[in-house]
Amino acid sequence: METPRTRPARKAVIPVAGMGTRFLPATKAVPKELLPVVDRPALQYIVEEAARAGLREVLMVTGRNKAAIEDFFDRTPELETALEKKGDAGRLAAVHESTDVAQVHFVRQGEARGLGHAVLQAAAFVGDEPFAVLLGDDLIDARDHLLEQMLAVQAEHGGSVVALLDVGKENIDKYGAVAVEPGGSDDVVAVTGLVEKPPVDEAPSSLAIIGRYVLAPEVFGVLRETAPGRGGEIQLTDALATLVERGQPVHGVVFGGRRYDTGDKLDYLKAVIRLASEREDLGPALRSWLTEFVADLPAEGASQA
């Protein structure tokens, strides 16, 4: 019989309360999660990823000045009526996609106290079952089924699962880092320790936690007890470390696919160009222009008029 501990994850949590300071001044008026990646907000890609994995109940943990996110996922009758009158079926379908992709709910974080605190706001929504957390800065290519694999690992092993990426030892101080041992397959490892943004010479490995988690509901009890850590915030990494110390299973899926960090200006631009260049309607013309543009660039070090 299915119990709360054995039933599969059915809900996703997306924290969107951050201030987006790396994209100022644009984010004075537009939440960073709504900045367009080609013609869709980054956040829509995240919700679509959750829905593809079967998680059609989505909770967004918002903050002040994020009302535009709620508006985006709401119906817009005036716009829909105008498009219908014009007979613009293509744009009407695109508008419907943003509202029909999943059942989206919202809760306020109230104060910015870290990712762990944001996740804790989802306790009532999640209940006593596993759930996914997706961070909006990390876009995972739709062709790489990372979240689906993580859900499968959680269903097999129980406990919690984190997504890992080898970022090189020189970059590990920007991420949560893990100590691991073999976990049964080449890309699945057992996590034996976690530390948030360690000094390079103290990092347990070069494997970094990226923005996908499948968490056991026990994490909520631990988060309630977790003291502020690095940066004075309640760190989800610290709570996961406590679960490991208590003997709760935590596994990692080592990701080798296509990931776009839309929280970084340069990577954001790369994501826009890469995704646009692969689209049938934009790709041919964009690739042709890029070829011409690169060919016309002055050689490195050459003087410019």
Side-chain angles (χ1 to χ4, degrees):
M1 183 178 68
E2 185 183 81
T3 68
R5 290 294 187 272
T6 61
R7 71 167 66 116
R10 295 178 288 191
K11 297 177 179 179
V13 175
I14 305 177
V16 292
M19 292 185 290
T21 53
R22 286 186 289 180
F23 278 84
L24 286 170
T27 46
K28 286 176 61 180
V30 180
K32 67 173 183 175
E33 297 85 3
L34 294 185
L35 294 176
V37 180
V38 189
D39 54 3
R40 285 182 291 165
L43 188 53
Q44 185 174 339
Y45 288 89
I46 305 297
V47 175
E48 289 171 352
E49 179 188 352
R52 280 195 307 272
L55 310 178
R56 299 189 63 86
E57 289 282 327
V58 176
L59 177 71
M60 296 192 184
V61 183
T62 71
R64 293 180 183 85
N65 303 317
K66 294 296 181 100
I69 293 177
E70 297 188 37
D71 291 341
F72 178 79
F73 287 98
D74 199 0
R75 299 300 296 267
T76 51
E78 300 86 354
L79 175 60
E80 293 171 22
T81 299
L83 292 172
E84 286 175 353
K85 288 181 177 178
K86 289 183 177 181
D88 195 339
R91 289 190 175 89
L92 181 60
V95 169
H96 283 161
E97 283 179 5
S98 64
T99 56
D100 296 341
V101 62
Q103 182 66 46
V104 182
H105 310 266
F106 298 89
V107 66
R108 283 283 189 99
Q109 185 175 1
E111 54 182 324
R113 296 179 59 195
L115 177 58
H117 183 259
V119 171
L120 188 54
Q121 308 314 301
F125 170 77
V126 168
D128 194 19
E129 59 185 72
F131 64 104
V133 174
L134 298 86
L135 304 189
D137 286 347
D138 279 330
L139 293 190
I140 303 299
D141 196 289
R143 294 164 293 187
D144 297 317
H145 297 169
L146 172 62
L147 184 56
E148 289 90 336
Q149 183 181 4
M150 294 175 66
L151 291 167
V153 170
Q154 198 282 331
E156 178 181 358
H157 297 284
S160 299
V161 182
V162 295
L164 301 174
L165 182 70
D166 193 329
V167 298
K169 206 65 177 278
E170 68 277 8
N171 297 312
I172 196 64
D173 58 344
K174 303 177 182 69
Y175 298 86
V178 297
V180 300
E181 58 186 28
S185 65
D186 291 342
D187 56 352
V188 177
V189 294
V191 175
T192 59
L194 304 93
V195 59
E196 181 67 20
K197 296 181 179 177
V200 169
D201 58 353
E202 297 178 15
S205 74
S206 59
L207 289 174
I209 304 171
I210 57 174
R212 297 295 180 274
Y213 306 79
V214 180
L215 302 176
E218 286 83 1
V219 75
F220 292 124
V222 176
L223 284 170
R224 293 186 183 99
E225 303 168 358
T226 300
R230 190 173 182 88
E233 298 180 335
I234 298 174
Q235 299 289 350
L236 181 57
T237 302
D238 293 343
L240 289 169
T242 299
L243 287 175
V244 170
E245 292 169 2
R246 293 180 180 178
Q248 295 289 325
V250 176
H251 286 81
V253 173
V254 182
F255 183 59
R258 290 153 287 202
R259 166 184 175 255
Y260 316 111
D261 181 1
T262 60
D264 175 84
K265 291 178 184 177
L266 179 58
D267 280 357
Y268 170 81
L269 293 172
K270 290 178 181 179
V272 173
I273 292 170
R274 177 169 292 184
L275 291 173
S277 69
E278 294 177 348
R279 283 181 38 163
E280 292 182 1
D281 58 336
L282 299 173
L286 177 60
R287 292 193 298 270
S288 177
W289 178 83
L290 285 170
T291 300
E292 296 174 3
F293 175 75
V294 172
D296 290 341
L297 287 175
E300 185 175 349
S303 61
Q304 299 185 33

